[in-house]
Amino acid sequence: MQAQQIKQMIETGLPGSEVQVLGDDGQHFDAVVVSEAFNGKTMVQQHQLVYATLAGRMESGAIHALGLKTYTPEAWSKAQ
């Protein structure tokens, strides 16, 4: 998989989100996802939402590892 493919899948599954995906070996990636969908959710729930957008690519091994940082827009603004 390519980083751009993962970015597109997350953006499609979480409309209106801002997504950055880095990774160049085809299996290990790091992503930052900012989404209104994360409001009121725990970090685990936020990560589950992101994993759900990847349509089983984690389970199938197409994506071996995904380092994930998730933020609500408000938390992202404070982190900057």
Side-chain angles (χ1 to χ4, degrees):
M1 291 213 70
Q2 300 293 319
Q4 183 60 31
Q5 291 173 294
I6 295 170
K7 179 182 187 308
Q8 188 173 31
M9 291 175 75
I10 295 170
E11 288 174 341
T12 299
L14 295 170
S17 61
E18 294 179 39
V19 182
Q20 299 172 351
V21 179
L22 301 172
D24 59 9
D25 70 357
Q27 289 188 321
H28 300 87
F29 300 92
D30 290 299
V32 175
V33 182
V34 181
S35 178
E36 290 281 346
F38 300 150
N39 284 328
K41 305 238 182 323
T42 66
M43 186 181 299
V44 169
Q45 291 170 324
Q46 293 173 17
H47 289 204
Q48 288 172 334
L49 284 173
V50 174
Y51 292 143
T53 69
L54 300 175
R57 300 292 196 302
M58 296 289 293
E59 294 82 5
S60 73
I63 301 170
H64 179 71
L66 178 65
L68 192 55
K69 293 184 180 179
T70 56
Y71 299 90
T72 63
E74 181 180 336
W76 179 248
S77 179
K78 289 178 183 178
Q80 300 301 302

